[in-house]
Amino acid sequence: MAESIDLDGNQTLVEALPALHNPRARRLRSLVWNDFTKKQKLDGNYEAICNHCAKKFTANSRSGTTHLRNHLNFCLSTRRTDGRKRGKKQLIALKSTRINNYDKDGHGGSQFDQEVSRQDLSRMIILHEYPLEIIKQIGFQTFIRNLQPRFKLVSEEMFMDDCLKIYENGKSRLSELLETLPCRVGLTMDRWGSNYGAEYLCLTCHFVDNDWKLQRKMLNLLHFEAPPTAEDIFEGIMEKLHDWKISRKLSCMGSDQCVSDQVAADNLLLNFLRSTDSLHLNGDLFLFHGLVHVLDVVAQESMVQILEICERVRSCVIFVKSSHEKLKRFQNAAMLADAPKKNLVLDVSSNWRSTYLMIATVYEFQNAFKNLEEYDSDFSFDVEWGDVKSVKECLETFDHMIKKFSGIRVPTANHYFIDICGILLLLNSWSSSPVPVIAKLASQMLKGFKPYWDANIMVLAIASILDPRYKMKSVEYFFKKIYIGDYEAKMKVESIFSSLRNLYSEYVVHSANSKSDQALLCYTSGNSGCLVLECGTSGGSHSSSHITLSDTRRGLDQYLQQTLSSQSIKSDFDLYLEEPVYIYKDGPDDSFNVLAWWKLNAAKYPILSLVARDTLPIPLGNVTTRIEDRPLSQYLNSLNPLALQSMVCAQDWLRGEMEANVEEVECSANNIVVKL
């Protein structure tokens, strides 16, 4: 009997036809036979049957196995793709329970469950923001009746109760998770608006779970009838933090530095938490600002320096689009210039990214506009194309960075330091440009960017140090380029290093206190000023006239403990920094999963891994959005504040479950292919 292993890792036995004994028969040594079964046909020849698709191939001794390998590559690739598609389709149903069986008449079917189907429909309503009135619509009722005649639609009130139960169950699970979580959580706030003048403040927490995966969970949607004051925001946030029992577990809070009442509320919260002595480094790393939002604001506020160029470029587009005849002449000029086949873009002056897109598109049609200027006496372009190019390149940098930061799949805090340093170096260079318009634009951008740099460089640098690919190297390299003189750069580097060491020391103390009732190894200050290991135990000594073998061993332990204080044992912090940087060769830099690395090395760096677990989830990239960027749908606007909070939070949690399940399916498929 031949043995094979299917793609799910389950062993199956494949029966072979009885074969004549052949003394010359030899063992099948090729690994390809793990996926094929060799059988002897009645005519004496052999065939190989694929264990995955049952396709048959010749398998005589002179046939070799190359054709089998070629088929296996295609067959497994196809199964992997199909498996992913099937997995995603199953996850769309949110893992609803379906028990396959057969009806009495022998036809295949699935067991119907009214309660499960009601839950599925309630989840669908939450996920896609369908109004509850959908259950009254004739088309929907007909669809349900034809799909499953036994399914009974209930009232809107009952479906709303089902949705609220989904929210309450999700809230209970999340509350239990946060309460038992051994690490800290970060908090961000997002301002939402409604069509009826009310405002909402969305609270979201960020943390690393026990499997070292980044989690983002919406907590609350605070409702304010009128624009809230700083005291209103502070009191609302504190109430919810106490409800979730995380008021003493916060690591950071992301805020909008452009809203005055929000800044005041942030300071109220910071001062209160400082008074409770619940923040690391006395709250020096507590407040941060979202990088994407900052770049967007800096670019928008700098557009005032290039109003003249923008207006002249805009007038060119308006001229071309003003009549069909002019558009036709421009198309002819573009054809002669072999210009790209795309449309000109007219911007919205209040949105700098649309203005950048307009400038970039016009620059691509540079030769077309030059031709138009020669052939059409009504058209003239009195701007230097060199200035247009320089402005385009400046705005392009900000547009590229925003897209890059917004598209990071696992947005841990280590992703941003290098690019932020690069932006600052570019702005410093541009501000000294011989092109006046670029020097003015860059100087204005620097004016808005420097406050962000000063307020956030500490946490940005610490997160970069906790990336094993860089450690202190990235900070040392860029600070030498950014700061004037070796002394200033050295002092800045030492300041970052000192803050990280102090942060680490606080974790050492906390870890030692939490284990004070156990035999442990903790970190204390040795004669050299460095952190060293010291043994301790909560058990007392005992005296006895009877000496045992363990007593003789205890003498050695005591001697080791006495001599340990004079030895210089390195902490995991020093060990981490002294070891070479990690060379990542498995793909582009953005694909490196720093959390997976720390999960693998947590035992080696027991204290420093706690620092990494609390620091790396800080969402330094995209935090807040403008109210007009996050409008509520008409259906959500119609709900009362409690129902609205329940629906949007439940929607966030359900989508998070779906994304996690899809990722799990993809990882499983990748692992199967890697093993093969």
Side-chain angles (χ1 to χ4, degrees):
M1 300 177 71
E3 187 179 51
S4 66
I5 300 177
D6 62 13
L7 286 178
D8 295 325
N10 301 317
Q11 291 187 344
T12 61
L13 295 179
V14 181
E15 296 184 357
L17 291 174
L20 296 175
H21 175 69
N22 184 359
R24 298 181 60 189
R26 52 194 182 92
R27 185 181 177 185
L28 301 176
R29 296 183 179 180
S30 175
L31 292 177
V32 77
W33 293 110
N34 290 332
D35 295 276
F36 285 89
T37 300
K38 189 173 183 180
K39 287 185 178 182
Q40 187 175 22
K41 298 190 294 184
L42 295 178
D43 61 2
N45 292 320
Y46 287 89
E47 64 181 0
I49 303 175
C50 177
N51 294 338
H52 308 294
C53 66
K55 193 171 182 179
K56 299 179 180 180
F57 300 87
T58 179
N60 292 325
S61 58
R62 296 184 179 181
S63 300
T65 57
T66 301
H67 63 302
L68 302 182
R69 290 195 186 93
N70 293 337
H71 167 75
L72 188 60
N73 290 334
F74 171 79
C75 182
L76 292 181
S77 176
T78 303
R79 285 178 60 85
R80 177 189 176 190
T81 303
D82 292 343
R84 284 188 178 182
K85 292 180 179 178
R86 287 195 301 271
K88 290 182 180 179
K89 289 179 180 179
Q90 293 169 358
L91 292 170
I92 296 301
L94 294 174
K95 300 171 65 178
S96 300
T97 305
R98 291 293 184 266
I99 305 173
N100 295 326
N101 62 358
Y102 286 86
D103 297 333
K104 293 181 180 180
D105 58 2
H107 296 292
S110 60
Q111 182 177 349
F112 169 71
D113 190 315
Q114 170 72 17
E115 291 303 315
V116 170
S117 298
R118 261 182 64 176
Q119 290 294 311
D120 287 346
L121 182 54
S122 299
R123 290 187 179 96
M124 184 186 77
I125 290 172
I126 293 172
L127 278 169
H128 304 292
E129 299 181 10
Y130 292 138
L132 291 175
E133 291 81 1
I134 191 176
I135 64 176
K136 293 182 177 179
Q137 297 173 359
I138 299 298
F140 182 74
Q141 292 178 353
T142 302
F143 169 74
I144 292 296
R145 186 168 55 252
N146 292 334
L147 182 67
Q148 178 49 265
R150 289 183 289 171
F151 180 69
K152 296 179 181 179
L153 288 170
V154 296
S155 65
E156 294 180 42
E157 291 75 15
M158 294 185 71
F159 270 118
M160 176 55 77
D161 288 342
D162 289 345
C163 292
L164 293 178
K165 288 179 182 177
I166 292 174
Y167 164 74
E168 291 296 338
N169 291 336
K171 180 180 179 182
S172 178
R173 291 192 299 270
L174 180 58
S175 179
E176 182 180 356
L177 172 63
L178 292 177
E179 188 174 356
T180 58
L181 198 67
C183 63
R184 291 177 174 256
V185 300
L187 187 71
T188 55
M189 288 168 286
D190 205 4
R191 297 174 76 104
W192 291 11
S194 74
N195 297 335
Y196 304 106
E199 287 193 17
Y200 296 91
L201 191 65
C202 179
L203 301 183
T204 305
C205 68
H206 308 257
F207 59 91
V208 172
D209 64 18
N210 292 329
D211 197 32
W212 281 87
K213 291 185 178 179
L214 185 64
Q215 299 292 339
R216 172 195 172 279
K217 300 291 183 182
M218 187 181 295
L219 298 179
N220 295 99
L221 194 64
L222 303 184
H223 171 253
F224 303 97
E225 289 292 349
T229 64
E231 289 75 14
D232 294 334
I233 296 175
F234 167 70
E235 292 175 0
I237 293 174
M238 286 307 306
E239 178 186 353
K240 300 307 177 184
L241 292 180
H242 287 305
D243 288 346
W244 290 100
K245 300 179 181 179
I246 57 174
S247 58
R248 297 186 63 83
K249 298 180 70 171
L250 291 183
S251 61
C252 63
M253 186 177 71
S255 64
D256 186 351
Q257 62 178 349
C258 301
V259 183
S260 58
D261 56 3
Q262 184 67 63
V263 173
D266 295 344
N267 291 329
L268 286 174
L269 183 61
L270 175 59
N271 292 332
F272 174 80
L273 294 177
R274 276 176 170 166
S275 68
T276 64
D277 196 28
S278 61
L279 299 177
H280 283 305
L281 296 182
N282 196 31
D284 289 346
L285 303 180
F286 182 67
L287 294 178
F288 70 95
H289 307 297
L291 176 56
V292 169
H293 179 72
V294 169
L295 293 180
D296 184 64
V297 171
V298 167
Q300 186 64 53
E301 293 180 349
S302 301
M303 297 301 288
V304 66
Q305 300 295 335
I306 54 172
L307 286 178
E308 183 178 356
I309 288 181
C310 293
E311 186 59 39
R312 292 184 180 182
V313 171
R314 189 178 298 116
S315 65
C316 293
V317 179
I318 294 175
F319 175 85
V320 171
K321 290 179 174 287
S322 61
S323 70
H324 179 73
E325 181 182 353
K326 292 178 180 178
L327 178 60
K328 191 67 176 176
R329 290 203 296 267
F330 175 76
Q331 289 174 342
N332 292 334
M335 187 179 300
L336 291 174
D338 196 22
K341 295 181 180 180
K342 59 169 63 176
N343 296 325
L344 291 174
V345 178
L346 184 61
D347 72 328
V348 177
S349 58
S350 60
N351 187 326
W352 75 268
R353 297 184 76 178
S354 71
T355 302
Y356 155 69
L357 184 59
M358 177 185 71
I359 293 174
T361 306
V362 166
Y363 183 75
E364 289 187 74
F365 285 95
Q366 173 182 353
N367 293 331
F369 278 108
K370 290 179 179 179
N371 290 341
L372 183 64
E373 193 171 15
E374 292 180 7
Y375 303 140
D376 193 333
S377 58
D378 296 333
F379 175 77
S380 63
F381 186 75
D382 54 353
V383 179
E384 289 292 334
W385 284 105
D387 291 348
V388 175
K389 178 183 179 182
S390 298
V391 168
K392 177 188 79 73
E393 291 175 346
C394 268
L395 298 180
E396 186 176 44
T397 299
F398 276 68
D399 181 71
H400 171 71
M401 286 293 103
I402 288 176
K403 289 179 179 177
K404 177 181 179 179
F405 295 151
S406 300
I408 297 175
R409 186 174 181 181
V410 184
T412 44
N414 60 303
H415 284 290
Y416 308 103
F417 174 77
I418 292 176
D419 286 322
I420 286 300
C421 291
I423 290 175
L424 183 60
L425 288 172
L426 283 176
L427 291 178
N428 286 333
S429 175
W430 290 341
S431 63
S432 304
S433 172
V435 181
V437 66
I438 296 304
K440 290 169 56 180
L441 177 63
S443 297
Q444 182 67 35
M445 288 179 167
L446 267 176
K447 184 179 178 181
F449 188 77
K450 281 289 289 181
Y452 170 83
W453 170 271
D454 295 335
N456 295 272
I457 186 56
M458 183 71 70
V459 66
L460 284 164
I462 288 177
S464 181
I465 296 171
L466 293 173
D467 189 327
R469 299 171 299 168
Y470 306 119
K471 301 187 179 182
M472 289 296 300
K473 304 302 181 182
S474 59
V475 176
E476 294 168 352
Y477 174 80
F478 281 105
F479 278 19
K480 288 179 181 179
K481 291 182 171 295
I482 291 172
Y483 295 104
I484 301 174
D486 292 341
Y487 178 77
E488 184 180 7
K490 181 180 179 181
M491 294 302 296
K492 294 292 184 180
V493 171
E494 289 182 356
S495 175
I496 298 293
F497 179 79
S498 176
S499 296
L500 178 55
R501 179 174 283 282
N502 291 337
L503 178 63
Y504 173 83
S505 298
E506 291 187 6
Y507 277 83
V508 168
V509 173
H510 176 76
S511 178
N513 291 338
S514 65
K515 299 178 181 179
S516 59
D517 295 331
Q518 308 170 16
L520 52 86
L521 289 177
C522 62
Y523 291 80
T524 59
S525 297
N527 297 331
S528 63
C530 298
L531 293 173
V532 298
L533 283 168
E534 186 177 85
C535 297
T537 181
S538 59
S541 61
H542 69 278
S543 60
S544 173
S545 59
H546 178 66
I547 300 177
T548 65
L549 185 61
S550 61
D551 292 327
T552 61
R553 169 74 188 192
R554 186 178 297 110
L556 174 61
D557 294 338
Q558 292 173 350
Y559 177 74
L560 290 174
Q561 183 175 349
Q562 292 170 0
T563 58
L564 185 62
S565 59
S566 62
Q567 298 177 4
S568 178
I569 301 178
K570 295 178 181 177
S571 67
D572 60 341
F573 175 78
D574 294 320
L575 182 65
Y576 171 79
L577 292 180
E578 290 180 6
E579 288 182 341
V581 296
Y582 174 69
I583 306 299
Y584 180 66
K585 299 180 180 180
D586 296 335
D589 286 345
D590 291 343
S591 66
F592 175 67
N593 189 335
V594 68
L595 295 180
W597 189 92
W598 277 105
K599 177 184 178 181
L600 187 64
N601 292 274
K604 184 178 181 180
Y605 309 108
I607 306 298
L608 192 60
S609 63
L610 301 179
V611 181
R613 186 172 178 178
D614 288 347
T615 304
L616 293 173
I618 299 177
L620 295 174
N622 197 4
V623 177
T624 58
T625 57
R626 297 171 294 184
I627 291 178
E628 58 268 23
D629 290 339
R630 191 61 192 268
L632 295 173
S633 66
Q634 182 178 356
Y635 165 62
L636 293 179
N637 266 308
S638 67
L639 300 177
N640 63 64
L642 180 59
L644 174 60
Q645 174 179 262
S646 301
M647 297 296 277
V648 297
C649 287
Q651 182 188 70
D652 177 76
W653 301 337
L654 290 175
R655 286 178 175 173
E657 291 176 9
M658 291 180 64
E659 291 173 358
N661 289 333
V662 169
E663 182 179 350
E664 183 179 348
V665 170
E666 292 179 345
C667 288
S668 298
N670 290 334
N671 289 337
I672 290 171
V673 172
V674 168
K675 291 178 181 178
L676 291 172

